[in-house]
């Protein structure tokens, strides 16, 4: 048996950064190296059907050991890519054995320090083994912790055929970090009645609620002419956009001033020119209906800005990004309920917070695969200070095994 830590330390050494500018699937060829090796590893463990498809998705099956005829097929999913925000090349993982509660200074950069004063969760892990990177890169626990946990749980099930469970499907996916992790996910071929992403934070977390999200593009058109001869003729789209941005809420409905279940309107890209200036905005709310209210506000403010600049025009486009998976999960209460029971059976307290973002589950739920998110142990995602506790990864493996048993027991 290979431990979850050994696997994790091996996987983080693959550079699997995704790239939002690329149009290929997967967005970077280097993700395929780990994906292919994972398929080979699963085959070596005895999962005969493990294979990578043309888009890089790995799927495999742990066959049923149950004598019951109708145990539902359930799935476990993790993504192999790491965030484009920070290098994931030449990761040097460090295992800090039996963490003593002091600051952890990372060797490659003395300014990279994990301080319990800034990161209170560290205080819950005194005595545990903490894995970090060396200070120059991210670690990649998001989501190679999830990958290592699923492979280790699969090995456990295969070497313990006495443990009764139904058919278990496994998927490893590319490009989650660039929002395309489910673009080519074939739900029918996966063939599970529900699934769990292993991609959450601290131990005990079960997440069943995400934002509903749209993206808006507000494009202001003006009229460009030589600035020396512009009197009475030029209409500067940059100034119209500036007036619009200036009117957006600052002390409310913005990412900087909201938490919990509050949504926001967030301008995040500006392409500016005198003739045309486009503002990209993220719209977020836990109620899909609440998106509409925020979009109306944006539209009103855009038209208000245009009125101040005669000759200016505005075009507004809205794209759906994803929806709160709770809308679907509420129709399948066993899926989240059994996950919570598995967490308790592993001796942990269930923690549940609304995800102020989306997960692959937010898309998969609406593609017909109810998929809440279970903790993988990741902390400080996308940061040089990313860390994971070995004991949390071991608990996550236990939770997967318990969950497989619970679905069998209750069907
Ligand atoms: Zn992730």
């Amino acid at each position: 048996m290979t431990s979850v830590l050994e696997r994790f330390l091996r996987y983080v050494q693959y550079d699997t950064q995704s790239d939002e500018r690329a149009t290929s699937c997967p967005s970077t060829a280097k993700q395929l190296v780990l994906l292919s090796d994972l398929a080979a590893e699963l085959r070596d463990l005895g999962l005969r059907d493990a294979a990578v498809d043309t888009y890089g998705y790995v799927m495999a099956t742990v066959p049923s050991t149950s004598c019951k005829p109708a145990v539902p097929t359930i799935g476990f999913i993790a993504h192999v890519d790491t965030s484009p925000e920070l290098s994931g090349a030449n990761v040097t993982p460090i295992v800090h054995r039996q963490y003593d509660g002091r600051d952890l200074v990372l060797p490659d950069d003395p300014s990279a320090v994990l301080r319990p004063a800034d990161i209170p969760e560290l205080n819950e892990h005194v005595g545990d083994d903490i894995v970090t990177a060396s200070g120059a890169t991210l670690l990649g626990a998001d989501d190679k912790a999830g990958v290592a946990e699923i492979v280790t749980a699969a090995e456990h099930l295969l070497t313990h055929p006495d443990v009764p469970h139904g058919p278990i499907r496994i998927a490893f996916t590319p490009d989650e970090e660039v929002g395309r992790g489910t673009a080519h996910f074939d739900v029918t071929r996966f063939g599970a009645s529900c699934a769990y992403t292993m991609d959450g934070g601290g131990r005990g977390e079960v997440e069943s609620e995400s934002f509903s999200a749209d993206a808006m593009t507000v494009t202001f058109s003006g009229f460009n002419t030589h600035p020396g001869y512009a009197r009475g003729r030029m209409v500067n789209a940059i100034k119209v956009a500036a007036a619009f941005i200036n009117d957006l809420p600052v002390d409310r409905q913005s990412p900087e001033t909201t938490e919990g279940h509050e949504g926001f309107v967030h301008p995040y890209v500006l392409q500016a020119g005198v003739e045309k200036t486009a503002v990209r905005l993220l719209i977020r709310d836990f109620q899909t209906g609440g998106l509409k209210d925020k979009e109306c506000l944006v539209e009103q403010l855009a038209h208000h800005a245009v009125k101040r600049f005669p000759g200016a025009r505005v075009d507004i486009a809205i794209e759906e990004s994803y929806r709160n998976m709770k809308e679907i999960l509420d129709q399948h209460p066993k899926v989240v309920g059994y996950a919570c029971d598995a967490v308790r059976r592993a001796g942990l307290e269930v923690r549940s917070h609304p995800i102020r973002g989306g997960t692959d589950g937010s898309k998969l739920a609406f593609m017909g695969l109810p998929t809440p998110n279970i903790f993988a142990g990741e902390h400080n995602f996308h940061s040089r200070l990313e860390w994971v506790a070995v004991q949390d990864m071991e608990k996550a493996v236990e939770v997967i095994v318990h969950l497989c048993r619970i679905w069998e027991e209750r069907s």
Side-chain angles (χ1 to χ4, degrees), residues 102-117:
R102 285 187 289 192
D103 291 358
L104 290 172
V105 183
L106 304 184
D108 290 351
D109 180 352
S111 76
V113 185
L114 285 89
R115 293 187 179 86

Side-chain angles (χ1 to χ4, degrees), residues 339-399:
C340 294
D341 292 345
V343 166
R344 286 186 208 104
R345 207 178 270 193
L348 302 174
E349 202 180 303
V350 175
R351 306 187 203 188
S352 231
H353 306 284
I355 309 174
R356 292 180 61 79
T359 68
D360 276 347
S362 329
K363 290 224 175 91
L364 290 170
F366 290 86
M367 291 159 70
L369 185 65
T371 307
N373 189 34
I374 295 179
F375 72 97
E378 314 155 12
H379 294 276
N380 291 356
F381 323 142
H382 308 183
S383 156
R384 290 182 305 158
L385 303 183
E386 194 183 4
W387 60 280
V388 63
V390 176
Q391 284 73 12
D392 283 4
M393 291 197 285
E394 291 167 351
K395 278 292 172 190
V397 175
E398 267 183 59
V399 168

